[in-house]
mmCIF file of all heavy atoms in Angstrom:
data_model
loop_
_atom_site.group_PDB
_atom_site.id
_atom_site.type_symbol
_atom_site.label_atom_id
_atom_site.label_comp_id
_atom_site.label_asym_id
_atom_site.label_seq_id
_atom_site.Cartn_x
_atom_site.Cartn_y
_atom_site.Cartn_z
ATOM 1 N N HIS U 1 171.038 40.374 -18.849
ATOM 2 C CA HIS U 1 169.647 40.681 -18.523
ATOM 3 C C HIS U 1 168.669 39.987 -19.479
ATOM 4 O O HIS U 1 167.453 39.986 -19.227
ATOM 5 C CB HIS U 1 169.409 42.197 -18.586
ATOM 6 C CG HIS U 1 169.736 42.806 -19.910
ATOM 7 N ND1 HIS U 1 171.032 43.055 -20.308
ATOM 8 C CD2 HIS U 1 168.933 43.193 -20.941
ATOM 9 C CE1 HIS U 1 171.007 43.588 -21.537
ATOM 10 N NE2 HIS U 1 169.753 43.684 -21.931
ATOM 11 N N CYS U 2 169.176 39.375 -20.557
ATOM 12 C CA CYS U 2 168.307 38.681 -21.510
ATOM 13 C C CYS U 2 168.163 37.189 -21.187
ATOM 14 O O CYS U 2 167.365 36.494 -21.836
ATOM 15 C CB CYS U 2 168.857 38.814 -22.934
ATOM 16 S SG CYS U 2 168.894 40.510 -23.560
ATOM 17 N N ARG U 3 168.904 36.708 -20.216
ATOM 18 C CA ARG U 3 168.866 35.281 -19.885
ATOM 19 C C ARG U 3 167.528 34.899 -19.256
ATOM 20 O O ARG U 3 166.919 35.692 -18.544
ATOM 21 C CB ARG U 3 170.003 34.924 -18.922
ATOM 22 C CG ARG U 3 171.387 35.003 -19.558
ATOM 23 C CD ARG U 3 172.473 35.024 -18.500
ATOM 24 N NE ARG U 3 172.400 33.879 -17.629
ATOM 25 C CZ ARG U 3 173.079 32.744 -17.793
ATOM 26 N NH1 ARG U 3 173.906 32.635 -18.814
ATOM 27 N NH2 ARG U 3 172.971 31.749 -16.941
ATOM 28 N N VAL U 4 167.091 33.676 -19.526
ATOM 29 C CA VAL U 4 165.838 33.171 -18.965
ATOM 30 C C VAL U 4 166.116 31.857 -18.234
ATOM 31 O O VAL U 4 167.202 31.277 -18.366
ATOM 32 C CB VAL U 4 164.777 32.947 -20.063
ATOM 33 C CG1 VAL U 4 164.432 34.256 -20.756
ATOM 34 C CG2 VAL U 4 165.241 31.905 -21.074
ATOM 35 N N ARG U 5 165.123 31.395 -17.516
ATOM 36 C CA ARG U 5 165.271 30.133 -16.782
ATOM 37 C C ARG U 5 165.207 28.941 -17.742
ATOM 38 O O ARG U 5 164.454 28.955 -18.713
ATOM 39 C CB ARG U 5 164.173 29.980 -15.734
ATOM 40 C CG ARG U 5 164.291 30.930 -14.557
ATOM 41 C CD ARG U 5 163.189 30.651 -13.549
ATOM 42 N NE ARG U 5 163.276 31.549 -12.427
ATOM 43 C CZ ARG U 5 164.027 31.331 -11.347
ATOM 44 N NH1 ARG U 5 164.752 30.226 -11.278
ATOM 45 N NH2 ARG U 5 164.060 32.198 -10.354
ATOM 46 N N TYR U 6 165.997 27.918 -17.420
ATOM 47 C CA TYR U 6 165.897 26.667 -18.163
ATOM 48 C C TYR U 6 164.623 25.932 -17.753
ATOM 49 O O TYR U 6 164.074 26.155 -16.675
ATOM 50 C CB TYR U 6 167.107 25.767 -17.876
ATOM 51 C CG TYR U 6 168.411 26.284 -18.429
ATOM 52 C CD1 TYR U 6 169.435 26.712 -17.589
ATOM 53 C CD2 TYR U 6 168.627 26.326 -19.800
ATOM 54 C CE1 TYR U 6 170.635 27.183 -18.096
ATOM 55 C CE2 TYR U 6 169.827 26.788 -20.319
ATOM 56 C CZ TYR U 6 170.826 27.216 -19.458
ATOM 57 O OH TYR U 6 172.008 27.680 -19.971
ATOM 58 N N LEU U 7 164.176 25.041 -18.630
ATOM 59 C CA LEU U 7 163.036 24.196 -18.305
ATOM 60 C C LEU U 7 163.471 23.112 -17.329
ATOM 61 O O LEU U 7 164.600 22.619 -17.400
ATOM 62 C CB LEU U 7 162.483 23.547 -19.584
ATOM 63 C CG LEU U 7 161.902 24.500 -20.627
ATOM 64 C CD1 LEU U 7 161.613 23.736 -21.917
ATOM 65 C CD2 LEU U 7 160.641 25.153 -20.111
ATOM 66 N N ARG U 8 162.584 22.743 -16.447
ATOM 67 C CA ARG U 8 162.875 21.655 -15.510
ATOM 68 C C ARG U 8 162.772 20.332 -16.260
ATOM 69 O O ARG U 8 161.825 20.092 -16.997
ATOM 70 C CB ARG U 8 161.912 21.664 -14.330
ATOM 71 C CG ARG U 8 162.088 22.881 -13.432
ATOM 72 C CD ARG U 8 161.106 22.829 -12.276
ATOM 73 N NE ARG U 8 161.364 21.693 -11.407
ATOM 74 C CZ ARG U 8 162.244 21.702 -10.407
ATOM 75 N NH1 ARG U 8 162.957 22.793 -10.148
ATOM 76 N NH2 ARG U 8 162.415 20.641 -9.655
ATOM 77 N N VAL U 9 163.776 19.473 -16.043
ATOM 78 C CA VAL U 9 163.819 18.179 -16.726
ATOM 79 C C VAL U 9 163.899 17.080 -15.685
ATOM 80 O O VAL U 9 164.762 17.110 -14.799
ATOM 81 C CB VAL U 9 165.039 18.078 -17.682
ATOM 82 C CG1 VAL U 9 165.072 16.721 -18.360
ATOM 83 C CG2 VAL U 9 164.988 19.188 -18.719
ATOM 84 N N GLN U 10 162.978 16.114 -15.774
ATOM 85 C CA GLN U 10 163.015 14.954 -14.875
ATOM 86 C C GLN U 10 164.131 14.045 -15.335
ATOM 87 O O GLN U 10 164.138 13.581 -16.470
ATOM 88 C CB GLN U 10 161.684 14.205 -14.942
ATOM 89 C CG GLN U 10 161.569 13.063 -13.944
ATOM 90 C CD GLN U 10 161.204 13.555 -12.563
ATOM 91 O OE1 GLN U 10 160.567 14.577 -12.426
ATOM 92 N NE2 GLN U 10 161.615 12.830 -11.547
ATOM 93 N N ARG U 11 165.094 13.790 -14.473
ATOM 94 C CA ARG U 11 166.250 12.996 -14.881
ATOM 95 C C ARG U 11 166.269 11.647 -14.189
ATOM 96 O O ARG U 11 165.862 11.507 -13.048
ATOM 97 C CB ARG U 11 167.547 13.748 -14.578
ATOM 98 C CG ARG U 11 167.630 15.085 -15.324
ATOM 99 C CD ARG U 11 169.055 15.483 -15.534
ATOM 100 N NE ARG U 11 169.161 16.764 -16.195
ATOM 101 C CZ ARG U 11 169.183 16.911 -17.506
ATOM 102 N NH1 ARG U 11 169.089 15.874 -18.290
ATOM 103 N NH2 ARG U 11 169.293 18.115 -18.040
ATOM 104 N N LYS U 12 166.783 10.649 -14.951
ATOM 105 C CA LYS U 12 166.971 9.310 -14.406
ATOM 106 C C LYS U 12 168.431 8.935 -14.608
ATOM 107 O O LYS U 12 169.091 9.428 -15.520
ATOM 108 C CB LYS U 12 166.088 8.288 -15.140
ATOM 109 C CG LYS U 12 164.600 8.512 -14.955
ATOM 110 C CD LYS U 12 163.800 7.419 -15.628
ATOM 111 C CE LYS U 12 163.999 7.416 -17.121
ATOM 112 N NZ LYS U 12 163.128 6.444 -17.800
ATOM 113 N N LEU U 13 168.908 8.003 -13.783
ATOM 114 C CA LEU U 13 170.302 7.608 -13.895
ATOM 115 C C LEU U 13 170.561 6.868 -15.204
ATOM 116 O O LEU U 13 171.615 6.987 -15.798
ATOM 117 C CB LEU U 13 170.684 6.722 -12.698
ATOM 118 C CG LEU U 13 172.145 6.691 -12.327
ATOM 119 C CD1 LEU U 13 172.660 8.100 -12.104
ATOM 120 C CD2 LEU U 13 172.368 5.852 -11.091
ATOM 121 N N PHE U 14 169.570 6.097 -15.667
ATOM 122 C CA PHE U 14 169.670 5.434 -16.959
ATOM 123 C C PHE U 14 168.380 5.687 -17.721
ATOM 124 O O PHE U 14 167.307 5.822 -17.138
ATOM 125 C CB PHE U 14 169.883 3.917 -16.809
ATOM 126 C CG PHE U 14 171.169 3.560 -16.141
ATOM 127 C CD1 PHE U 14 171.195 3.217 -14.808
ATOM 128 C CD2 PHE U 14 172.368 3.595 -16.840
ATOM 129 C CE1 PHE U 14 172.379 2.902 -14.187
ATOM 130 C CE2 PHE U 14 173.554 3.288 -16.221
ATOM 131 C CZ PHE U 14 173.570 2.928 -14.896
ATOM 132 N N ARG U 15 168.437 5.667 -19.037
ATOM 133 C CA ARG U 15 167.267 5.970 -19.844
ATOM 134 C C ARG U 15 166.262 4.825 -19.852
ATOM 135 O O ARG U 15 165.066 5.048 -19.865
ATOM 136 C CB ARG U 15 167.686 6.279 -21.291
ATOM 137 C CG ARG U 15 168.389 7.608 -21.406
ATOM 138 C CD ARG U 15 168.783 7.873 -22.830
ATOM 139 N NE ARG U 15 169.356 9.210 -22.931
ATOM 140 C CZ ARG U 15 168.657 10.291 -23.177
ATOM 141 N NH1 ARG U 15 167.366 10.205 -23.334
ATOM 142 N NH2 ARG U 15 169.236 11.474 -23.257
ATOM 143 N N ASP U 16 166.731 3.612 -19.919
ATOM 144 C CA ASP U 16 165.853 2.452 -19.974
ATOM 145 C C ASP U 16 165.219 2.237 -18.606
ATOM 146 O O ASP U 16 165.899 2.074 -17.602
ATOM 147 C CB ASP U 16 166.695 1.225 -20.385
ATOM 148 C CG ASP U 16 165.842 -0.015 -20.598
ATOM 149 O OD1 ASP U 16 164.655 0.007 -20.214
ATOM 150 O OD2 ASP U 16 166.379 -0.994 -21.150
ATOM 151 N N ASP U 17 163.872 2.202 -18.545
ATOM 152 C CA ASP U 17 163.179 2.039 -17.269
ATOM 153 C C ASP U 17 163.588 0.758 -16.560
ATOM 154 O O ASP U 17 163.594 0.683 -15.330
ATOM 155 C CB ASP U 17 161.657 2.033 -17.481
ATOM 156 C CG ASP U 17 161.133 3.421 -17.822
ATOM 157 O OD1 ASP U 17 161.836 4.402 -17.499
ATOM 158 O OD2 ASP U 17 160.042 3.514 -18.406
ATOM 159 N N ASN U 18 163.926 -0.289 -17.339
ATOM 160 C CA ASN U 18 164.320 -1.546 -16.718
ATOM 161 C C ASN U 18 165.673 -1.447 -16.030
ATOM 162 O O ASN U 18 166.016 -2.301 -15.216
ATOM 163 C CB ASN U 18 164.373 -2.660 -17.784
ATOM 164 C CG ASN U 18 163.002 -2.962 -18.359
ATOM 165 O OD1 ASN U 18 162.002 -2.875 -17.653
ATOM 166 N ND2 ASN U 18 162.963 -3.298 -19.644
ATOM 167 N N ARG U 19 166.444 -0.416 -16.366
ATOM 168 C CA ARG U 19 167.775 -0.258 -15.779
ATOM 169 C C ARG U 19 167.853 0.975 -14.889
ATOM 170 O O ARG U 19 168.918 1.314 -14.386
ATOM 171 C CB ARG U 19 168.824 -0.141 -16.890
ATOM 172 C CG ARG U 19 168.904 -1.343 -17.807
ATOM 173 C CD ARG U 19 169.926 -1.098 -18.898
ATOM 174 N NE ARG U 19 171.259 -0.885 -18.350
ATOM 175 C CZ ARG U 19 172.239 -0.305 -19.024
ATOM 176 N NH1 ARG U 19 172.031 0.151 -20.237
ATOM 177 N NH2 ARG U 19 173.416 -0.146 -18.466
ATOM 178 N N ALA U 20 166.739 1.670 -14.696
ATOM 179 C CA ALA U 20 166.765 2.909 -13.917
ATOM 180 C C ALA U 20 167.034 2.627 -12.447
ATOM 181 O O ALA U 20 166.503 1.686 -11.873
ATOM 182 C CB ALA U 20 165.433 3.639 -14.075
ATOM 183 N N LEU U 21 167.869 3.452 -11.842
ATOM 184 C CA LEU U 21 168.124 3.363 -10.411
ATOM 185 C C LEU U 21 167.147 4.252 -9.660
ATOM 186 O O LEU U 21 166.843 5.359 -10.100
ATOM 187 C CB LEU U 21 169.554 3.817 -10.087
ATOM 188 C CG LEU U 21 170.707 2.927 -10.545
ATOM 189 C CD1 LEU U 21 172.014 3.518 -10.067
ATOM 190 C CD2 LEU U 21 170.558 1.516 -10.028
ATOM 191 N N SER U 22 166.678 3.757 -8.546
ATOM 192 C CA SER U 22 165.837 4.588 -7.696
ATOM 193 C C SER U 22 166.720 5.596 -6.961
ATOM 194 O O SER U 22 167.949 5.464 -6.924
ATOM 195 C CB SER U 22 165.086 3.720 -6.683
ATOM 196 O OG SER U 22 166.006 3.153 -5.756
ATOM 197 N N ARG U 23 166.070 6.616 -6.376
ATOM 198 C CA ARG U 23 166.836 7.589 -5.593
ATOM 199 C C ARG U 23 167.565 6.893 -4.441
ATOM 200 O O ARG U 23 168.707 7.241 -4.130
ATOM 201 C CB ARG U 23 165.898 8.675 -5.059
ATOM 202 C CG ARG U 23 166.620 9.722 -4.208
ATOM 203 C CD ARG U 23 165.674 10.829 -3.818
ATOM 204 N NE ARG U 23 165.294 11.605 -4.988
ATOM 205 C CZ ARG U 23 166.030 12.614 -5.462
ATOM 206 N NH1 ARG U 23 167.177 12.942 -4.895
ATOM 207 N NH2 ARG U 23 165.626 13.286 -6.517
ATOM 208 N N TRP U 24 166.909 5.898 -3.815
ATOM 209 C CA TRP U 24 167.540 5.172 -2.689
ATOM 210 C C TRP U 24 168.790 4.445 -3.167
ATOM 211 O O TRP U 24 169.828 4.469 -2.494
ATOM 212 C CB TRP U 24 166.541 4.177 -2.093
ATOM 213 C CG TRP U 24 167.121 3.379 -0.954
ATOM 214 C CD1 TRP U 24 167.190 3.740 0.359
ATOM 215 C CD2 TRP U 24 167.744 2.081 -1.047
ATOM 216 N NE1 TRP U 24 167.815 2.745 1.098
ATOM 217 C CE2 TRP U 24 168.169 1.719 0.262
ATOM 218 C CE3 TRP U 24 167.982 1.195 -2.091
ATOM 219 C CZ2 TRP U 24 168.797 0.515 0.541
ATOM 220 C CZ3 TRP U 24 168.626 0.000 -1.826
ATOM 221 C CH2 TRP U 24 169.024 -0.325 -0.528
ATOM 222 N N GLU U 25 168.716 3.791 -4.333
ATOM 223 C CA GLU U 25 169.875 3.068 -4.865
ATOM 224 C C GLU U 25 170.997 4.036 -5.224
ATOM 225 O O GLU U 25 172.179 3.747 -4.985
ATOM 226 C CB GLU U 25 169.460 2.256 -6.088
ATOM 227 C CG GLU U 25 168.559 1.076 -5.759
ATOM 228 C CD GLU U 25 167.964 0.439 -6.991
ATOM 229 O OE1 GLU U 25 167.703 1.170 -7.976
ATOM 230 O OE2 GLU U 25 167.769 -0.792 -6.990
ATOM 231 N N TYR U 26 170.621 5.165 -5.800
ATOM 232 C CA TYR U 26 171.609 6.183 -6.143
ATOM 233 C C TYR U 26 172.339 6.682 -4.901
ATOM 234 O O TYR U 26 173.571 6.763 -4.863
ATOM 235 C CB TYR U 26 170.913 7.345 -6.868
ATOM 236 C CG TYR U 26 171.714 8.614 -6.943
ATOM 237 C CD1 TYR U 26 172.813 8.734 -7.779
ATOM 238 C CD2 TYR U 26 171.364 9.720 -6.160
ATOM 239 C CE1 TYR U 26 173.553 9.903 -7.861
ATOM 240 C CE2 TYR U 26 172.088 10.895 -6.228
ATOM 241 C CZ TYR U 26 173.174 10.981 -7.074
ATOM 242 O OH TYR U 26 173.892 12.138 -7.137
ATOM 243 N N GLN U 27 171.582 7.003 -3.840
ATOM 244 C CA GLN U 27 172.186 7.476 -2.597
ATOM 245 C C GLN U 27 173.065 6.394 -1.965
ATOM 246 O O GLN U 27 174.109 6.693 -1.380
ATOM 247 C CB GLN U 27 171.090 7.904 -1.608
ATOM 248 C CG GLN U 27 170.297 9.120 -2.050
ATOM 249 C CD GLN U 27 171.126 10.393 -2.014
ATOM 250 O OE1 GLN U 27 172.229 10.417 -1.484
ATOM 251 N NE2 GLN U 27 170.584 11.467 -2.599
ATOM 252 N N LYS U 28 172.650 5.134 -2.091
ATOM 253 C CA LYS U 28 173.448 4.031 -1.545
ATOM 254 C C LYS U 28 174.807 3.942 -2.225
ATOM 255 O O LYS U 28 175.850 3.791 -1.562
ATOM 256 C CB LYS U 28 172.687 2.712 -1.710
ATOM 257 C CG LYS U 28 173.419 1.497 -1.133
ATOM 258 C CD LYS U 28 172.605 0.235 -1.313
ATOM 259 C CE LYS U 28 173.355 -0.979 -0.751
ATOM 260 N NZ LYS U 28 172.581 -2.237 -0.947
ATOM 261 N N LEU U 29 174.815 4.049 -3.560
ATOM 262 C CA LEU U 29 176.085 4.016 -4.294
ATOM 263 C C LEU U 29 176.960 5.205 -3.920
ATOM 264 O O LEU U 29 178.178 5.062 -3.744
ATOM 265 C CB LEU U 29 175.813 4.024 -5.794
ATOM 266 C CG LEU U 29 175.163 2.785 -6.402
ATOM 267 C CD1 LEU U 29 174.969 2.977 -7.893
ATOM 268 C CD2 LEU U 29 175.998 1.537 -6.134
ATOM 269 N N LEU U 30 176.340 6.365 -3.787
ATOM 270 C CA LEU U 30 177.094 7.570 -3.455
ATOM 271 C C LEU U 30 177.716 7.455 -2.069
ATOM 272 O O LEU U 30 178.897 7.776 -1.862
ATOM 273 C CB LEU U 30 176.172 8.791 -3.531
ATOM 274 C CG LEU U 30 176.808 10.158 -3.758
ATOM 275 C CD1 LEU U 30 177.698 10.147 -4.988
ATOM 276 C CD2 LEU U 30 175.718 11.216 -3.889
ATOM 277 N N ARG U 31 176.940 6.976 -1.095
ATOM 278 C CA ARG U 31 177.466 6.811 0.273
ATOM 279 C C ARG U 31 178.594 5.785 0.299
ATOM 280 O O ARG U 31 179.602 5.967 0.995
ATOM 281 C CB ARG U 31 176.344 6.390 1.218
ATOM 282 C CG ARG U 31 175.367 7.502 1.576
ATOM 283 C CD ARG U 31 174.518 7.109 2.782
ATOM 284 N NE ARG U 31 173.737 5.912 2.514
ATOM 285 C CZ ARG U 31 172.503 5.925 2.004
ATOM 286 N NH1 ARG U 31 171.922 7.073 1.699
ATOM 287 N NH2 ARG U 31 171.853 4.800 1.789
ATOM 288 N N ALA U 32 178.425 4.689 -0.447
ATOM 289 C CA ALA U 32 179.455 3.641 -0.471
ATOM 290 C C ALA U 32 180.768 4.183 -1.026
ATOM 291 O O ALA U 32 181.849 3.913 -0.482
ATOM 292 C CB ALA U 32 178.973 2.457 -1.306
ATOM 293 N N ALA U 33 180.694 4.945 -2.099
ATOM 294 C CA ALA U 33 181.906 5.503 -2.705
ATOM 295 C C ALA U 33 182.590 6.476 -1.763
ATOM 296 O O ALA U 33 183.817 6.443 -1.586
ATOM 297 C CB ALA U 33 181.553 6.200 -4.020
ATOM 298 N N ARG U 34 181.820 7.342 -1.127
ATOM 299 C CA ARG U 34 182.406 8.328 -0.220
ATOM 300 C C ARG U 34 182.984 7.668 1.020
ATOM 301 O O ARG U 34 184.045 8.075 1.503
ATOM 302 C CB ARG U 34 181.344 9.359 0.163
ATOM 303 C CG ARG U 34 180.980 10.303 -0.986
ATOM 304 C CD ARG U 34 179.789 11.169 -0.654
ATOM 305 N NE ARG U 34 179.521 12.148 -1.705
ATOM 306 C CZ ARG U 34 178.429 12.892 -1.774
ATOM 307 N NH1 ARG U 34 177.477 12.769 -0.846
ATOM 308 N NH2 ARG U 34 178.258 13.750 -2.759
ATOM 309 N N ALA U 35 182.302 6.643 1.536
ATOM 310 C CA ALA U 35 182.785 5.958 2.737
ATOM 311 C C ALA U 35 184.119 5.271 2.492
ATOM 312 O O ALA U 35 184.944 5.154 3.401
ATOM 313 C CB ALA U 35 181.754 4.940 3.217
ATOM 314 N N ARG U 36 184.359 4.831 1.277
ATOM 315 C CA ARG U 36 185.603 4.140 0.938
ATOM 316 C C ARG U 36 186.671 5.073 0.380
ATOM 317 O O ARG U 36 187.731 4.632 -0.026
ATOM 318 C CB ARG U 36 185.303 3.002 -0.046
ATOM 319 C CG ARG U 36 184.619 1.825 0.640
ATOM 320 C CD ARG U 36 183.828 0.965 -0.315
ATOM 321 N NE ARG U 36 183.205 -0.133 0.415
ATOM 322 C CZ ARG U 36 182.131 -0.006 1.176
ATOM 323 N NH1 ARG U 36 181.560 1.178 1.316
ATOM 324 N NH2 ARG U 36 181.631 -1.049 1.828
ATOM 325 N N GLY U 37 186.358 6.359 0.348
ATOM 326 C CA GLY U 37 187.333 7.323 -0.140
ATOM 327 C C GLY U 37 187.503 7.310 -1.635
ATOM 328 O O GLY U 37 188.511 7.795 -2.151
ATOM 329 N N TRP U 38 186.504 6.783 -2.360
ATOM 330 C CA TRP U 38 186.576 6.726 -3.819
ATOM 331 C C TRP U 38 186.049 8.046 -4.369
ATOM 332 O O TRP U 38 184.931 8.127 -4.889
ATOM 333 C CB TRP U 38 185.759 5.567 -4.356
ATOM 334 C CG TRP U 38 186.247 4.216 -3.927
ATOM 335 C CD1 TRP U 38 187.473 3.899 -3.446
ATOM 336 C CD2 TRP U 38 185.489 2.992 -3.948
ATOM 337 N NE1 TRP U 38 187.549 2.558 -3.158
ATOM 338 C CE2 TRP U 38 186.345 1.971 -3.462
ATOM 339 C CE3 TRP U 38 184.202 2.671 -4.340
ATOM 340 C CZ2 TRP U 38 185.926 0.656 -3.353
ATOM 341 C CZ3 TRP U 38 183.779 1.357 -4.232
ATOM 342 C CH2 TRP U 38 184.639 0.356 -3.749
ATOM 343 N N ARG U 39 186.822 9.083 -4.296
ATOM 344 C CA ARG U 39 186.347 10.406 -4.670
ATOM 345 C C ARG U 39 185.973 10.481 -6.149
ATOM 346 O O ARG U 39 184.938 11.047 -6.514
ATOM 347 C CB ARG U 39 187.427 11.447 -4.357
ATOM 348 C CG ARG U 39 186.991 12.880 -4.624
ATOM 349 C CD ARG U 39 188.105 13.843 -4.304
ATOM 350 N NE ARG U 39 187.681 15.221 -4.576
ATOM 351 C CZ ARG U 39 188.502 16.269 -4.538
ATOM 352 N NH1 ARG U 39 189.782 16.087 -4.225
ATOM 353 N NH2 ARG U 39 188.057 17.483 -4.798
ATOM 354 N N ARG U 40 186.811 9.921 -6.990
ATOM 355 C CA ARG U 40 186.541 9.970 -8.423
ATOM 356 C C ARG U 40 185.254 9.233 -8.757
ATOM 357 O O ARG U 40 184.402 9.736 -9.512
ATOM 358 C CB ARG U 40 187.712 9.361 -9.201
ATOM 359 C CG ARG U 40 187.475 9.226 -10.693
ATOM 360 C CD ARG U 40 188.730 8.726 -11.389
ATOM 361 N NE ARG U 40 189.204 7.492 -10.803
ATOM 362 C CZ ARG U 40 188.810 6.286 -11.207
ATOM 363 N NH1 ARG U 40 187.938 6.172 -12.189
ATOM 364 N NH2 ARG U 40 189.280 5.194 -10.648
ATOM 365 N N ILE U 41 185.076 8.031 -8.189
ATOM 366 C CA ILE U 41 183.891 7.240 -8.498
ATOM 367 C C ILE U 41 182.637 7.903 -7.924
ATOM 368 O O ILE U 41 181.567 7.871 -8.538
ATOM 369 C CB ILE U 41 184.061 5.802 -7.970
ATOM 370 C CG1 ILE U 41 185.164 5.101 -8.780
ATOM 371 C CG2 ILE U 41 182.755 5.023 -8.049
ATOM 372 C CD1 ILE U 41 185.484 3.704 -8.337
ATOM 373 N N ALA U 42 182.769 8.546 -6.766
ATOM 374 C CA ALA U 42 181.632 9.291 -6.209
ATOM 375 C C ALA U 42 181.219 10.407 -7.165
ATOM 376 O O ALA U 42 180.020 10.652 -7.378
ATOM 377 C CB ALA U 42 181.992 9.861 -4.841
ATOM 378 N N LEU U 43 182.200 11.075 -7.765
ATOM 379 C CA LEU U 43 181.892 12.134 -8.719
ATOM 380 C C LEU U 43 181.271 11.577 -10.007
ATOM 381 O O LEU U 43 180.420 12.223 -10.615
ATOM 382 C CB LEU U 43 183.156 12.924 -9.058
ATOM 383 C CG LEU U 43 183.522 14.033 -8.072
ATOM 384 C CD1 LEU U 43 184.873 14.630 -8.443
ATOM 385 C CD2 LEU U 43 182.455 15.122 -8.053
ATOM 386 N N VAL U 44 181.696 10.386 -10.407
ATOM 387 C CA VAL U 44 181.087 9.736 -11.566
ATOM 388 C C VAL U 44 179.603 9.497 -11.295
ATOM 389 O O VAL U 44 178.738 9.838 -12.114
ATOM 390 C CB VAL U 44 181.788 8.398 -11.885
ATOM 391 C CG1 VAL U 44 180.975 7.596 -12.899
ATOM 392 C CG2 VAL U 44 183.181 8.641 -12.428
ATOM 393 N N VAL U 45 179.300 8.918 -10.141
ATOM 394 C CA VAL U 45 177.907 8.638 -9.781
ATOM 395 C C VAL U 45 177.105 9.932 -9.707
ATOM 396 O O VAL U 45 175.981 10.020 -10.214
ATOM 397 C CB VAL U 45 177.843 7.889 -8.434
ATOM 398 C CG1 VAL U 45 176.381 7.726 -7.970
ATOM 399 C CG2 VAL U 45 178.507 6.522 -8.550
ATOM 400 N N GLU U 46 177.684 10.949 -9.078
ATOM 401 C CA GLU U 46 176.987 12.225 -8.937
ATOM 402 C C GLU U 46 176.757 12.889 -10.297
ATOM 403 O O GLU U 46 175.694 13.478 -10.543
ATOM 404 C CB GLU U 46 177.789 13.150 -8.020
ATOM 405 C CG GLU U 46 177.006 14.342 -7.546
ATOM 406 C CD GLU U 46 177.683 15.079 -6.406
ATOM 407 O OE1 GLU U 46 178.719 14.572 -5.889
ATOM 408 O OE2 GLU U 46 177.187 16.142 -6.029
ATOM 409 N N THR U 47 177.737 12.784 -11.190
ATOM 410 C CA THR U 47 177.593 13.372 -12.522
ATOM 411 C C THR U 47 176.494 12.678 -13.312
ATOM 412 O O THR U 47 175.667 13.323 -13.961
ATOM 413 C CB THR U 47 178.931 13.282 -13.287
ATOM 414 O OG1 THR U 47 179.935 14.002 -12.560
ATOM 415 C CG2 THR U 47 178.810 13.879 -14.684
#
């Protein structure tokens, strides 16, 4: 009953803005991994 909500944090796939992936690019990688049955790599991308 003492627990509180965490603060919302804006997350990026990479810290450097020059290397940041857009949401579209992220979804593209995720779809590609799942379509090829690369379960482990899909989980890496999702993590």
Side-chain angles (χ1 to χ4, degrees):
H1 58 283
C2 296
R3 291 164 57 94
V4 298
R5 290 183 180 273
Y6 292 113
L7 296 171
R8 293 180 64 85
V9 179
Q10 186 80 28
R11 299 206 182 271
K12 295 184 296 186
L13 205 54
F14 296 100
R15 289 180 175 270
D16 185 348
D17 288 339
N18 294 326
R19 300 178 61 199
L21 291 183
S22 67
R23 179 175 292 275
W24 179 85
E25 290 170 327
Y26 164 73
Q27 294 291 349
K28 182 179 179 181
L29 292 180
L30 203 54
R31 286 195 300 270
R34 289 171 175 169
R36 286 157 180 76
W38 297 341
R39 184 180 179 188
R40 174 175 55 89
I41 292 177
L43 276 174
V44 168
V45 174
E46 194 167 353
T47 300

